[in-house]
Amino acid sequence: TRRSSDLEGGILYFSDQITLLKPNGESRTVWADIQSVKRSEFYAGLTAGVNLSNSFKIYSEEYMGEPALSFDGRFYMVERVYSGGSDWTELNCSELNQKCLIRQRLRGGDGLENPRYSDWSVPVPCAVFISGAMPQQVQDVKAGVLSADIDVKVTIMFRNIQPYDQLCINKRYFEISYIKDIGLRGVWLELYCKEVN
């Protein structure tokens, strides 16, 4: 089944379905039209350090500010929202192109950390940037400790993560040095990590 809408004198067919994702785990499946990102949007995104990969056009009434979506087994971050009037909304997205596993230190009732780690969690979609250089002009929001030895930056949807939790990415292990809540909105977290043996 496909939905259609009469827009600007023509018929627009929404023949695909995407799943809109909220940080609290809620999700909704809606009809969409999947397109390539316009060249001007793509290069504007690169200038801002964002690699836009796809554009998803959906009915405006169905978009409620979700920061991420999934389509065809892949996950995407919503980077820019463009409204085409009251009928449709276009979501320009970057792909979360890798997955990581997260494990956390066990914590007692007194809040103190136990050095033993709990079992690995399920895979978490993320965007990964591996670099040997420390990120510039990064405010440490949560950890209180700034490490100059940063090997990887990971962007994920907001989760209950603490400094010194660990990530496994492509069979390499990283410990979280500090955490940045992007925009202080509780939607995206940037995890700055150093590799461990």
Side-chain angles (χ1 to χ4, degrees):
T1 303
R2 67 176 72 183
R3 290 183 59 183
S4 63
S5 177
D6 186 358
L7 299 177
E8 299 176 0
I11 300 297
L12 176 65
Y13 290 97
F14 287 178
S15 56
D16 295 296
Q17 289 185 309
I18 63 173
T19 301
L20 299 171
L21 306 171
K22 289 187 176 181
N24 62 7
E26 292 180 9
S27 63
R28 294 182 302 109
T29 300
V30 300
W31 290 99
D33 181 45
I34 288 73
Q35 303 174 341
S36 299
V37 176
K38 296 180 180 67
R39 182 179 297 180
S40 58
E41 294 282 352
F42 176 79
Y43 285 111
L46 285 182
T47 302
V50 175
N51 187 5
L52 296 176
S53 58
N54 290 81
S55 176
F56 301 88
K57 188 176 288 187
I58 66 174
Y59 291 98
S60 296
E61 64 191 34
E62 295 182 324
Y63 183 62
M64 299 179 183
E66 289 85 353
L69 60 89
S70 65
F71 171 69
D72 197 24
R74 298 176 180 267
F75 292 85
Y76 299 86
M77 295 170 59
V78 177
E79 303 285 0
R80 182 180 180 274
V81 179
Y82 173 75
S83 177
S86 60
D87 292 320
W88 56 270
T89 295
E90 186 175 296
L91 309 176
N92 289 325
C93 300
S94 60
E95 186 174 351
L96 294 169
N97 53 9
Q98 296 196 40
K99 289 186 178 181
C100 68
L101 292 170
I102 298 175
R103 67 178 179 181
Q104 298 183 304
R105 289 182 186 269
L106 298 175
R107 294 173 177 83
D110 54 5
L112 298 177
E113 292 182 346
N114 185 315
R116 292 187 305 113
Y117 281 93
S118 62
D119 292 334
W120 290 100
S121 71
V122 296
V124 177
C126 63
V128 176
F129 175 72
I130 296 178
S131 171
M134 176 181 160
Q136 299 296 311
Q137 297 178 341
V138 173
Q139 296 282 330
D140 175 14
V141 176
K142 295 189 174 182
V145 177
L146 187 65
S147 170
D149 183 20
I150 300 300
D151 297 310
V152 63
K153 180 178 79 170
V154 176
T155 303
I156 65 171
M157 287 188 69
F158 191 87
R159 291 177 182 267
N160 183 21
I161 295 175
Q162 301 292 327
Y164 311 114
D165 288 344
Q166 287 192 354
L167 309 179
C168 177
I169 304 168
N170 296 332
K171 298 183 180 179
R172 294 171 64 182
Y173 299 91
F174 301 88
E175 187 169 84
I176 300 171
S177 296
Y178 59 101
I179 303 169
K180 179 182 178 185
D181 183 349
I182 305 175
L184 299 177
R185 296 180 300 165
V187 176
W188 297 110
L189 292 180
E190 285 184 344
L191 313 177
Y192 294 87
C193 312
K194 56 186 177 181
E195 191 162 9
V196 295
N197 296 326

